[in-house]
Amino acid sequence: MVANIGREELKAKIDRGDHFVLLEVLGPQYYRHSHLPGAQNLPPGEVDKMASSLLPDKNAEIVLYCWDEE
């Protein structure tokens, strides 16, 4: 199942301490500069290489965060 959530819902999940994997789909330079607490970096061009190591639990809830670089 895929669903979109907004900033408020993501903040509430973080504040409640919900168990989920937070992935920031940003280039490494942007991730190093600033990222959400607890987020792991999954650069757009590295999904094939890194996804299995970052997501070993196939049943985990995953939240992807990205932003437009324009």
Side-chain angles (χ1 to χ4, degrees):
M1 178 179 147
V2 176
N4 291 326
I5 63 172
R7 292 179 188 183
E8 289 87 23
E9 187 174 347
L10 177 56
K11 183 176 182 330
K13 291 175 81 53
I14 292 170
D15 290 347
R16 285 191 305 263
D18 290 0
H19 181 70
F20 64 97
V21 178
L22 180 58
L23 296 177
E24 289 208 11
V25 185
L26 301 170
Q29 69 278 17
Y30 297 105
Y31 179 81
R32 279 191 302 271
H33 181 276
S34 178
H35 59 271
L36 295 174
Q40 298 180 60
N41 185 219
L42 182 60
E46 302 292 319
V47 173
D48 290 343
K49 294 180 201 171
M50 297 178 64
S52 62
S53 65
L54 290 175
L55 306 167
D57 180 357
K58 304 299 183 216
N59 296 312
E61 179 181 4
I62 301 166
V63 175
L64 298 173
Y65 171 81
C66 59
W67 54 276
D68 189 353
E69 297 178 30
E70 293 180 9

